[in-house]
Amino acid sequence: QRSTRNMASTMAAVPLGSVCATQRRAHLTCTSWSLRPSSPKCPSIRTGYPRRGAERARTLRVLAAADVGPASPAEEEEDVFQIPVRLNNTPHPREVRRQFYEDATASFVAAYRASEKRMQMKVEFPELNTEQDVYRIGTFLEMIREFVSQLTMDGKTVKVCVQSGMGQGVFQGLPLQLSGVDRILKMMDWGECLVDGEPQDMLGTFVKLGSIGKDDIEEGVDCYVLVAPQNIVGYSILPDLRAMEEAAGDTPMLLVNPKLGDIPSANNVMSVRGRAGREAYKSLFKTIYHFRLLYKKPFWFPIFGAIRYPYGKNWQLYKRFASSDFSKQEEYALIQSYPSEPSSTQITEAIQKRKKI
């Protein structure tokens, strides 16, 4: 326990991206950074932030798992996820965010290697829930950077796309969630890479930025990552998304936290007419990862459980168990698995039926 606390305090003292540019250039060959074997396309690539925090977070989880004993064969087959506790305490500790990043990234990499072409995922823990006042854009973009880094370290070129202003004239607008995101992406530290022995910024070399539309399709891109595409009152993003998707051809495309539901507006925009076609088009994007917490709406407390879907596995329903006086540590237990996404009725019945761990 003492060693675990020492690791946690060390992790908290080393923020991501805290190494200055001079130190990065001096440690291009340091083994503590995340390096991949050289390839013809990419001789040597590394991320712009140290990976030690991730390694220590994994160590902490291994130590925590050692206290509860080995997993049963059924749990190993279901790929049980150790959901962090006290998720209503925000901002989340760095190791908690890293745990969600790694879980979502593992599904994305597995789907990409399985040659999935049209993908989508939903990651909605409190800091990524736009309906709560604790939403943090930095957490969202950190997760996007983690997805991109896993591909660029293998020599892939990734283009991150954020929708631009929609509408015309005084009715032009942009969702609040995406306001200023394109500027933040340009300011982020995407790391450095070695090309012909010379250090170069990853941004502009293996990471590119753009908007959503057919004009942003270019040759040489191995994957497109679309940041939270969504509709607004009076304008639908689906026409631009469809044009871009058709122009991309067989190039993989990932939608992260999309909100493509209809927002009925004037002039028959997103009305009943054509809704079946829009729903059919949205179903073309396969869900490769899903995580969200379960509440009794409209309240955000307490947390009743969680829904999780890792790529290639079953949909998992977790229930949160905790004493009312907080004398015991809370715990999330896997209570049911489903071959497809469970309905609200199935979730309610399963949670109410299970009384004890």
Side-chain angles (χ1 to χ4, degrees), residues 19 82 95 140 166 199 209 258 262-263 271 306:
V19 182
Q82 298 296 328
E95 58 269 19
F140 187 42
M166 300 183 296
L209 304 179
D262 287 343
I263 304 178
S271 62

Side-chain angles (χ1 to χ4, degrees), residues 105-301:
T105 301
S107 290
F108 170 53
V109 173
Y112 183 85
R113 291 176 177 174
S115 300
E116 297 286 353
K117 301 302 180 183
R118 299 295 178 260
M119 304 168 281
Q120 66 173 333
M121 67 165 57
K122 180 177 182 179
V123 190
E124 199 177 72
F125 55 94
E127 283 191 3
L128 294 188
N129 191 339
T130 56
E131 297 183 22
Q132 298 187 16
D133 58 358
V134 296
Y135 174 76
R136 183 173 179 265
I137 186 60
T139 301
F140 187 42
L141 296 184
E142 270 185 345
M143 184 177 67
I144 296 294
R145 182 173 62 182
E146 188 72 15
F147 299 159
V148 173
S149 297
Q150 289 298 318
L151 295 187
T152 56
M153 286 190 296
D154 286 332
K156 307 296 183 183
T157 300
V158 183
K159 189 166 188 177
V160 182
C161 301
V162 183
Q163 66 191 69
S164 55
M166 300 183 296
Q168 297 179 354
V170 296
F171 298 104
Q172 186 175 10
L174 188 68
L176 182 61
Q177 178 187 359
L178 300 178
S179 178
V181 169
D182 54 346
R183 182 170 59 90
I184 298 175
L185 288 172
K186 296 176 183 178
M187 298 170 57
M188 287 176 59
D189 179 13
W190 293 93
E192 293 179 343
C193 61
L194 291 178
V195 179
D196 297 330
E198 296 293 331
Q200 297 184 12
D201 289 335
M202 193 76 75
L203 183 62
T205 306
F206 292 96
V207 179
K208 300 183 179 182
L209 304 179
S211 181
I212 296 180
K214 62 180 181 179
D215 295 336
D216 283 270
I217 298 298
E218 57 182 297
E219 296 183 358
V221 175
D222 298 299
C223 183
Y224 293 92
V225 177
L226 278 57
V227 180
Q230 52 194 280
N231 301 320
I232 62 173
V233 176
Y235 196 92
S236 174
I237 190 62
L238 287 181
D240 294 334
L241 177 61
R242 185 192 295 268
M244 183 177 186
E245 184 265 335
E246 293 176 352
D250 292 334
T251 304
M253 181 177 293
L254 171 67
L255 311 184
V256 185
N257 287 3
K259 295 181 180 180
L260 303 179
D262 287 343
I263 304 178
S265 307
N267 297 326
N268 291 326
V269 176
M270 292 177 282
S271 62
V272 176
R273 179 187 301 175
R275 181 166 297 171
R278 294 192 295 270
E279 294 296 328
Y281 176 73
K282 289 187 292 184
S283 64
L284 296 178
F285 291 86
K286 182 178 180 180
T287 298
I288 62 170
Y289 182 80
H290 185 102
F291 181 89
R292 75 177 190 271
L293 296 176
L294 301 176
Y295 305 91
K296 186 176 181 180
K297 297 294 183 71
F299 305 104
W300 301 108
F301 183 87

Side-chain angles (χ1 to χ4, degrees), residues 103 107 120 122 286-292 307-316 318 338-341:
D103 191 42
S107 290
Q120 66 173 333
K122 180 177 182 179
K286 182 178 180 180
T287 298
I288 62 170
Y289 182 80
H290 185 102
F291 181 89
R292 75 177 190 271
I307 286 288
R308 173 179 177 260
Y309 169 71
Y311 178 73
K313 304 291 183 179
N314 290 328
W315 287 77
Q316 302 171 346
Y318 294 81
Y338 304 89
S340 58
E341 183 176 5

